[in-house]
Amino acid sequence: ARYIANDLPTYLEVYSKLLCHRKRYVAHFAGETLAFILRRLRGPKIGDALGHIFVLLCAEGRTTQELANLADSLSVILSEASRGVQNGFHSQMPYILQPLLRRHVRGIGSSAGEAPAIKASETAARAAQLYTIKATLLRMRNHAGDLEGTGDILEFALDQFRSAAKRHAAAVTRAMTAEAVVDTPTKVASGVISTSVEGGITADCVPVGNGAENSCSTSQTAAVMLEEQEVLFYVDLFVS
């Protein structure tokens, strides 16, 4: 197990063929095997391992069914690594849950940067990643058996949902502000228009093309969409 943990990306690539297997019992057994490895990791290595696990979703050439099978198998890895005896959870569970919700739901990736985040443009992989996280949490809920057993998980998810809602509201405000002030420049320097905004906020926009569009409004719109995706993830999770 120690040797596999030290070269996890290589073993994950090999195991991905089993994790994508059309027969669920084969794919799930492969996931349970890797869960044992993930559980033995400590500290930041767990966060890096999660990044390497999600990178599997970005491999080219997978069919839609293979990607769905892989996402389901990855949820087995993460949920099995979190399970404890009876209806309890392993001591490693918080170290798996926290980076999942704080970083990977937001599409940030591993904290150490060893494994890149899945880009928002990689829509199929991103959708599969969010499905994996949702399925992981639902498997953990089923393992606990009741609401009381999932209290810590639910509380942490609610905290992240509140934070996501605040970030989304702030992103919408910034986007609306950028659109409102782009026509009233106060200073032009090196091609950058600095516009004063009510409340002391300053938005810097770089004109693009004939001035019909600017990189400021485009980036703000992308930020709104990213934050909205996170909020909708939690809404869907709680409804499930």
Side-chain angles (χ1 to χ4, degrees):
R2 179 161 49 91
Y3 296 109
I4 296 177
N6 290 335
D7 194 16
L8 188 59
T10 300
Y11 284 92
L12 284 172
E13 183 61 32
V14 175
Y15 257 78
S16 65
K17 297 179 181 179
L18 293 175
L19 295 171
C20 293
H21 203 281
R22 61 186 179 84
K23 294 184 178 179
R24 293 187 66 186
Y25 70 87
V26 174
H28 285 190
F29 180 73
E32 291 170 2
T33 304
L34 286 172
F36 172 74
I37 305 299
L38 182 61
R39 188 182 295 176
R40 291 177 63 92
L41 299 178
R42 293 293 182 269
K45 289 186 177 181
I46 294 181
D48 293 335
L50 294 179
H52 293 308
I53 286 172
F54 285 125
V55 163
L56 293 177
L57 297 171
C58 300
E60 298 181 358
R62 299 198 197 282
T63 65
T64 303
Q65 187 59 54
E66 287 176 336
L67 194 60
N69 293 346
L70 178 59
D72 186 56
S73 299
L74 296 185
S75 72
V76 171
I77 296 176
L78 301 176
S79 60
E80 287 292 327
S82 303
R83 292 179 63 168
V85 296
Q86 297 181 350
N87 298 108
F89 291 99
H90 194 272
S91 58
Q92 291 288 74
M93 186 272 286
Y95 300 102
I96 295 174
L97 181 65
Q98 291 177 13
L100 273 182
L101 299 187
R102 284 180 176 168
R103 305 190 66 83
H104 294 286
V105 169
R106 298 183 62 192
I108 296 177
S110 64
S111 57
E114 293 186 9
I118 296 178
K119 298 178 182 178
S121 58
E122 299 172 304
T123 53
R126 180 64 176 147
Q129 182 186 36
L130 293 176
Y131 170 82
T132 298
I133 299 173
K134 175 185 174 182
T136 297
L137 295 173
L138 294 180
R139 289 180 186 277
M140 293 168 70
R141 180 201 63 185
N142 293 340
H143 170 69
D146 54 30
L147 188 61
E148 183 179 355
T150 56
D152 291 341
I153 298 174
L154 183 60
E155 182 178 354
F156 186 72
L158 284 171
D159 285 341
Q160 297 306 306
F161 173 58
R162 283 190 285 265
S163 298
K166 290 178 181 179
R167 287 193 297 270
H168 178 254
V172 170
T173 300
R174 288 193 299 269
M176 294 177 63
T177 300
E179 292 179 2
V181 304
V182 71
D183 294 329
T184 57
T186 58
K187 180 180 64 176
V188 179
S190 303
V192 177
I193 302 176
S194 178
T195 51
S196 298
V197 188
E198 218 177 300
I201 304 173
T202 300
D204 294 327
C205 306
V206 182
V208 178
N210 296 324
E213 185 180 4
N214 59 82
S215 63
C216 178
S217 60
T218 302
S219 62
Q220 296 294 352
T221 301
V224 170
M225 294 178 63
L226 190 62
E227 301 296 351
E228 184 178 85
Q229 185 182 60
E230 183 183 3
V231 171
L232 292 177
F233 167 83
Y234 284 109
V235 171
D236 180 53
L237 175 66
F238 295 137
V239 168
S240 300

